[in-house]
């Protein structure tokens, strides 16, 4: 069933050329919602226990110990669900797409298969293939349907992230050579971590490759122009799903396969995470372009994840606190995907109506577009971590796990990172005051309220954020067995 879930979107893409043009958006939407239903069924059937489900292991390249090995657990299932939901929202949002509709739908279906495949992969080479294909797919999304200086932004995105993938491949080769027997199988590498070769250099290569995709400071500079010039649906997928590939790889690959090296250099991850939190928030505060602002908040939120994962490795005293930090990091991946995906789609509504992202040219939007104003306010409060929404659940666990870890360095960095919430609150309140509630701007008259497809795309994302914020147990019970396993593997 998992193989069907992974490859159904690309199979639908293959038949789209034979579908009448008017039916293309609805075919895409139907396939996207079929994916949501299938992933939901898998999650219900898996339950909240540990271990792998829906595992398939077929020999692919026997000479190097690589295979088509896929499966799901409490780490991958939430991200598979996030992927399915965001792609379904983008399909609904794009029902009014008029430019190269067939190619647009086919490319997004291809990207959905790639993203699902990466989160289900249990073989390093298979992971790498999906990782690289995601770069190609998003490059064409920005290049063909973007705006502004899209050619330069697409090229910068491709070169940066492709360089990261090459460094990541070197790290994977280091893992392969350090294993005895040599293998690319993730399950085997976790069961018997590589002991040969320079583990520190291998971790450096893996961390840089995944860090560029996350992105962490200073490897983040491709992100703002890519988001600014991408179409709204492309930005939602890039931020909501593709940034999680790097963070997911840290939890799935770097931490359990290189536990000694991760513990040894965990302080570096703590510092990098803290820098990302503060730098992303402060730079976002200075932005006048709403899309660049949201892009820098992504740097801020992904910094929380790296901070928590660093604390899980650096702390040696309280295992419960370390487990809480990992659970918070994974919850943040899901929360950030939902909320930032919604924010980018809302920014797309502004650009669709007025052709601009300039905050200074909007004001008083709530007067003529009250539904848009409410949706933006909910998304903004979720992003800054207001209680009752998913951002609070994630950030509370991250701070509790980091500060309560029992080590001075983790506690200090965690306490300093709390300042990021204050700055994030300031920047979103500034946006709400200027664009939504302030005096009318020169472009305000062009902003009409959200249309039905846009509302249908946005409402589920924010309702899920509210559901996680009010009733988080279903998500947390799924994640916690994997968090405990990761912390246990770090303690070997």
């Amino acid at each position: 069933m998992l193989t069907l879930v992974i490859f159904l979107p690309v199979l639908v893409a293959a038949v789209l050329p034979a579908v009448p043009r008017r039916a293309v958006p609805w075919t895409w939407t139907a396939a996207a919602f079929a994916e949501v239903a299938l992933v939901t069924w898998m999650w219900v059937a898996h339950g909240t226990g540990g271990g792998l489900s829906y595992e398939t292991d077929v020999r692919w390249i026997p000479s190097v110990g690589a295979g088509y090995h896929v499966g799901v657990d409490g780490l991958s299932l939430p991200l598979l669900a996030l992927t399915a939901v965001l792609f379904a929202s983008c399909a609904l949002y794009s029902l009014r797409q008029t430019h190269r509709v067939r190619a647009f739908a086919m490319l997004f279906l291809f990207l959905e298969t790639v993203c699902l495949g990466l989160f289900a992969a249990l073989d390093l080479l298979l992971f790498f293939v999906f990782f690289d294909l995601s770069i190609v797919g998003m490059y064409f999304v920005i290049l063909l349907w973007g705006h502004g200086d899209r050619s330069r932004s697409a090229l910068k995105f491709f070169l940066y992230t492709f360089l990261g993938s090459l460094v990541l491949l070197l790290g994977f080769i280091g893992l392969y050579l350090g294993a005895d027997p040599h293998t690319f199988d993730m399950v085997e590498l976790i069961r018997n971590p590589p002991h040969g070769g320079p583990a520190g250099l291998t971790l450096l290569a893996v961390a840089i490759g995944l860090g560029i995709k996350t992105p962490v400071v200073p490897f983040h500079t491709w992100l703002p122009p890519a988001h600014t010039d991408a179409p709204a649906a492309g930005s939602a997928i890039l931020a909501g799903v593709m940034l999680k590939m790097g963070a997911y790889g840290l939890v799935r690959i770097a931490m359990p396969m290189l536990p000694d090296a991760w513990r040894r250099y965990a302080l570096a991850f703590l510092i990098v995470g803290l820098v990302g939190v503060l730098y992303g928030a402060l730079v976002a505060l200075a932005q006048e372009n709403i899309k660049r602002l949201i892009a820098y908040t992504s740097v801020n939120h992904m910094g929380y994840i790296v901070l928590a994962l660093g604390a899980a490795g650096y702390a040696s005293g309280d295992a419960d606190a370390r487990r809480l930090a990992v659970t918070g990091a994974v919850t943040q991946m899901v929360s950030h995907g939902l909320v930032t995906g919604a924010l980018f789609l809302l920014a797309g509504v502004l650009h669709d109506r007025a052709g601009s992202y300039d905050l200074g040219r909007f004001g008083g939007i709530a007067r003529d577009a009250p539904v848009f104003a409410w949706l933006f306010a909910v998304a903004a409060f979720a992003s800054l971590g207001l209680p009752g929404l998913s951002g609070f659940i994630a950030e509370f666990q991250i701070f509790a796990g980091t500060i309560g870890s029992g080590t001075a360095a983790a506690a200090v960095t965690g306490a300093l990172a709390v300042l990021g919430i204050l700055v994030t609150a300031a920047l979103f309140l500034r946006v709400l005051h200027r664009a939504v509630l302030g005096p009318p701007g020169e472009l305000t008259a062009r902003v009409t309220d959200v249309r039905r497809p846009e509302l249908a795309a946005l409402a589920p994302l924010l309702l899920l954020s509210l559901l996680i914020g009010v009733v988080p147990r279903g998500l947390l019970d799924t994640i916690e067995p994997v968090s405990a396993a990761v912390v246990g593997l770090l303690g070997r």
Side-chain angles (χ1 to χ4, degrees):
M1 183 175 180
L2 179 56
T3 297
L4 173 64
V5 169
I6 295 170
F7 290 104
L8 176 61
V10 79
L11 292 175
V12 174
V15 302
L16 275 187
V19 175
R21 186 179 183 278
R22 289 184 178 180
V24 167
W26 295 104
T27 304
W28 173 21
T29 303
F33 275 90
E35 285 292 302
V36 173
L38 288 170
V39 172
T40 302
W41 175 266
M42 289 174 56
W43 193 335
V44 171
H46 175 83
T48 57
L52 292 168
S53 298
Y54 300 99
E55 192 174 1
T56 301
D57 189 1
V58 179
R59 298 182 74 184
W60 176 30
I61 311 176
S63 59
V64 295
Y68 172 75
H69 192 183
V70 295
V72 297
D73 60 7
L75 173 60
S76 54
L77 269 173
L79 295 173
L80 288 173
L82 171 67
T83 301
V85 168
L86 269 175
F87 273 96
S89 291
C90 289
L92 284 171
Y93 182 89
S94 304
L95 284 174
R96 296 173 62 89
Q97 175 79 22
T98 57
H99 179 56
R100 297 178 177 175
V101 178
R102 197 185 308 273
F104 190 77
M106 291 175 67
L107 193 52
F108 269 78
L109 286 165
F110 166 77
L111 270 174
E112 185 168 9
T113 282
V114 168
C115 295
L116 292 168
L118 183 139
F119 292 131
L122 294 175
D123 181 273
L124 291 178
L125 275 188
L126 190 63
F127 181 99
F128 178 79
V129 168
F130 287 127
F131 190 90
D132 251 15
L133 291 177
S134 70
I135 299 170
V136 176
M138 187 53 64
Y139 167 78
F140 284 110
V141 169
I142 299 171
L143 180 67
L144 300 178
W145 289 275
H147 34 254
D149 195 0
R150 59 187 181 183
S151 297
R152 182 178 180 181
S153 297
L155 183 61
K156 188 173 185 178
F157 161 78
F158 184 88
L159 291 178
Y160 244 100
T161 50
F162 187 67
L163 174 63
S165 74
L166 294 179
V167 178
L168 180 64
L169 181 60
L170 292 176
F172 286 176
I173 292 172
L175 289 170
Y176 170 80
L177 294 176
D180 186 19
H182 298 327
T183 182
F184 284 104
D185 189 87
M186 292 187 189
V187 176
E188 289 298 322
L189 288 167
I190 292 172
R191 185 180 295 122
N192 299 300
H195 294 291
L201 289 177
T202 301
L203 177 61
L204 178 64
V206 172
I208 289 176
L210 296 173
I212 290 175
K213 197 67 169 272
T214 299
V216 299
V217 178
F219 304 120
H220 68 287
T221 54
W222 62 267
L223 182 68
H227 275 312
T228 302
D229 296 331
S235 293
I237 295 303
L238 179 57
V241 179
M242 291 179 61
L243 297 191
K244 311 304 174 298
M245 293 177 176
Y248 170 82
L250 293 176
V251 182
R252 175 68 77 193
I253 298 169
M255 295 174 73
M257 296 183 194
L258 296 164
D260 292 337
W262 187 271
R263 289 195 303 270
R264 193 179 313 127
Y265 298 105
L267 180 59
F269 289 94
L270 275 170
I271 295 171
V272 168
L274 176 62
V275 171
V277 167
L278 299 179
Y279 175 86
L282 290 170
V283 177
L285 184 62
Q287 299 304 310
E288 291 295 320
N289 182 299
I290 184 65
K291 255 198 165 184
R292 288 183 73 88
L293 182 151
I294 300 168
Y296 277 109
T297 64
S298 291
V299 176
N300 162 263
H301 284 90
M302 301 309 287
Y304 288 124
I305 295 173
V306 177
L307 176 77
L309 299 181
Y314 188 70
S316 58
D318 193 337
D320 288 337
R322 298 161 67 198
R323 175 183 53 77
L324 190 61
V326 175
T327 301
V330 179
T331 306
Q332 178 75 319
M333 295 182 206
V334 177
S335 174
H336 176 266
L338 294 171
V339 175
T340 305
L343 284 170
F344 275 119
L345 293 181
L346 286 163
V349 172
L350 289 181
H351 190 271
D352 178 69
R353 308 295 196 271
S356 175
Y357 296 118
D358 189 352
L359 281 172
R361 304 177 70 186
F362 295 99
I365 292 174
R367 189 172 307 160
D368 296 321
V371 177
F372 174 90
W374 276 106
L375 291 171
F376 191 90
V378 172
F381 285 127
S383 185
L384 62 86
L386 189 74
L389 295 163
S390 58
F392 173 77
I393 300 298
E395 290 172 8
F396 172 78
Q397 292 181 104
I398 289 172
F399 290 128
T402 303
I403 297 173
S405 60
T407 58
V412 170
T413 53
L416 291 173
V418 174
L419 296 174
I421 296 180
L422 181 63
V423 179
T424 304
L427 71 91
F428 275 117
L429 290 175
R430 168 176 166 266
V431 173
L432 288 170
H433 176 74
R434 292 185 60 185
V436 179
L437 301 174
E442 62 177 288
L443 297 179
T444 302
R446 300 185 188 180
V447 182
T448 58
D449 219 338
V450 292
R451 304 182 179 110
R452 289 180 183 177
E454 295 163 346
L455 180 60
L458 288 160
L461 301 179
L462 298 179
L463 286 173
L464 284 171
S465 177
L466 177 63
L467 180 65
I468 294 170
V470 175
V471 191
R473 182 173 178 178
L475 176 62
L476 301 184
D477 284 352
T478 302
I479 298 171
E480 284 174 354
V482 176
S483 301
V486 170
V487 170
L489 291 169
L490 282 174
R492 287 183 293 185

